[in-house]
Amino acid sequence: MSADDRGDHAVDAFVSHRNLLFTVAYEMLGSAADAEDVLQETWLRWADADLAAVRDQRAYLVRITTRQALNRLRAVGRRRESYVGSWLPEPLLTAPDVADDVELAESVSMAMLLVLETLAPTERAVFVLREVFDLGYDEIAEAVDKSSAAVRQIAHRARAHVAARRPRGMVSPAETRRALSAFRLAVETGDVQALLDVLAPDVVLLGDGGGIKQAVLRPVAGADKVARLLCSTHARTATMSLHPAQVNGHPALVMRLDGAVDTVLALRIDDGLISGVYAVRNPEKLSHMRSETALRR
């Protein structure tokens, strides 16, 4: 095989797995920008690899991506400690087929990504590779440089940690749409009581302005406080409009100001009530709301 043929083969293999690799990196990092950087680093290492010696290209690429994502996760973890206000995952405008894969949609939801943020880097990698992508323990062990026995223990610990914090029970798309529709109408009309009817008593609102846009710097807890904040915020801006969108595999709302995306509002729903409101305003995190992002398992 000529050098040109090897180069074409490397490109074809990388492109065919790119959406999968992006999804792995995004679930580990919660940031599309960081995931794109990881893919660039993965490509550079893949381009230098001896493809003739690679038995399983998918496994090899996932292993490179995981290692690069772990390196970046440890670095950004330190950076997030000095982040202004709450740090929220970067929202993605996703295609309908993401919602069709229930397990994938749950794993990339804003609520789940925030749960994954509470895991240590290696725990997060093991959980994502095992629970979302169903990789074998031996394969994960190679990716995270641990023994299979250690990976099994880490996976067990991570599963227990996530189970204690993940949304309670599966919520159907229809239930989510109903809650979102009621939420939207209440906010647009400034109907505090209608909003209280769909908010859980212990609802928490998190805002991410990144120090660039105004946002609540600390979590706002309690249905009354959250309802009044949302209604007053919308009332102050006559040119603001709310539009439904598919974000991270789930129905969400996009708030537009003078036609431009200003805020993405994602929700966590427990037992039919909204228990979490995630408002992403940081403009550096809104670039992936312009076009759909393909996610794959």
Side-chain angles (χ1 to χ4, degrees):
M1 185 184 292
S2 68
D4 287 344
D5 287 340
R6 284 195 297 274
D8 291 342
H9 184 60
V11 171
D12 290 343
F14 186 82
V15 170
S16 68
H17 294 297
R18 189 189 186 284
N19 292 341
L20 162 70
L21 302 178
F22 175 86
T23 308
V24 170
Y26 176 72
E27 291 209 23
M28 286 184 60
L29 294 159
S31 163
D34 286 326
E36 292 285 2
D37 288 343
V38 164
L39 257 61
Q40 180 63 30
E41 293 160 1
T42 298
W43 163 250
L44 293 174
R45 284 158 178 77
W46 174 245
D48 285 339
D50 179 5
L51 301 189
V54 176
R55 294 190 304 275
D56 185 335
Q57 293 179 344
R58 178 182 183 274
Y60 190 91
L61 282 164
V62 168
R63 185 160 66 246
I64 299 174
T65 300
T66 301
R67 288 175 177 171
Q68 297 309 311
L70 272 172
N71 290 340
R72 183 158 294 251
L73 186 58
R74 293 180 179 114
V76 299
R78 292 188 291 272
R79 194 169 72 219
R80 287 172 191 171
E81 290 175 2
S82 59
Y83 195 80
V84 177
S86 300
W87 182 94
L88 290 174
E90 187 173 345
L92 304 177
L93 187 66
T94 48
D97 64 337
V98 175
D100 293 339
D101 185 337
V102 176
E103 290 183 356
L104 176 61
E106 185 198 12
S107 70
V108 297
S109 70
M110 297 288 277
M112 178 56 76
L113 290 175
L114 282 172
V115 172
L116 295 181
E117 280 292 308
T118 64
L119 293 171
T122 302
E123 287 179 330
R124 184 167 183 170
V126 169
F127 181 87
V128 166
L129 295 179
R130 180 63 183 171
E131 300 300 314
V132 182
F133 297 96
D134 199 28
L135 268 63
Y137 291 112
D138 291 343
E139 195 173 349
I140 298 172
E142 285 191 51
V144 300
D145 292 323
K146 301 282 185 183
S147 69
S148 289
V151 165
R152 286 178 183 274
Q153 291 181 336
I154 293 169
H156 177 75
R157 188 166 64 243
R159 272 195 299 270
H161 182 96
V162 170
R165 292 163 177 80
R166 75 194 316 160
R168 299 183 292 273
M170 296 296 292
V171 180
S172 71
E175 288 176 304
T176 302
R177 284 192 293 271
R178 280 196 296 271
L180 189 73
S181 178
F183 176 88
R184 176 188 179 187
L185 181 61
V187 171
E188 287 180 329
T189 58
D191 190 336
V192 174
Q193 184 55 55
L195 198 49
L196 288 171
D197 290 342
V198 296
L199 295 178
D202 57 351
V203 62
V204 175
L205 181 148
L206 300 177
D208 181 345
I212 301 171
K213 286 286 191 74
Q214 184 178 0
V216 293
L217 295 177
R218 289 177 296 278
V220 177
D224 189 68
K225 288 182 180 178
V226 170
R228 294 186 186 283
L229 174 64
L230 288 169
C231 289
S232 64
T233 298
H234 191 269
R236 287 198 302 269
T237 313
T239 57
M240 190 172 284
S241 57
L242 288 171
H243 304 271
Q246 196 79 3
V247 176
N248 289 55
H250 294 268
L253 291 173
V254 175
M255 192 175 286
R256 293 182 177 273
L257 185 60
D258 298 323
V261 175
D262 177 85
T263 307
V264 172
L265 286 170
L267 307 177
R268 168 174 171 157
I269 300 174
D270 286 297
D271 300 325
L273 295 175
I274 297 167
S275 58
V277 180
Y278 312 119
V280 183
R281 299 200 70 212
N282 184 347
E284 294 178 352
K285 293 186 176 184
L286 299 178
S287 62
H288 280 73
M289 292 300 299
R290 298 180 190 131
S291 59
E292 291 179 351
T293 298
L295 301 175
R296 293 289 181 272
R297 285 203 295 161

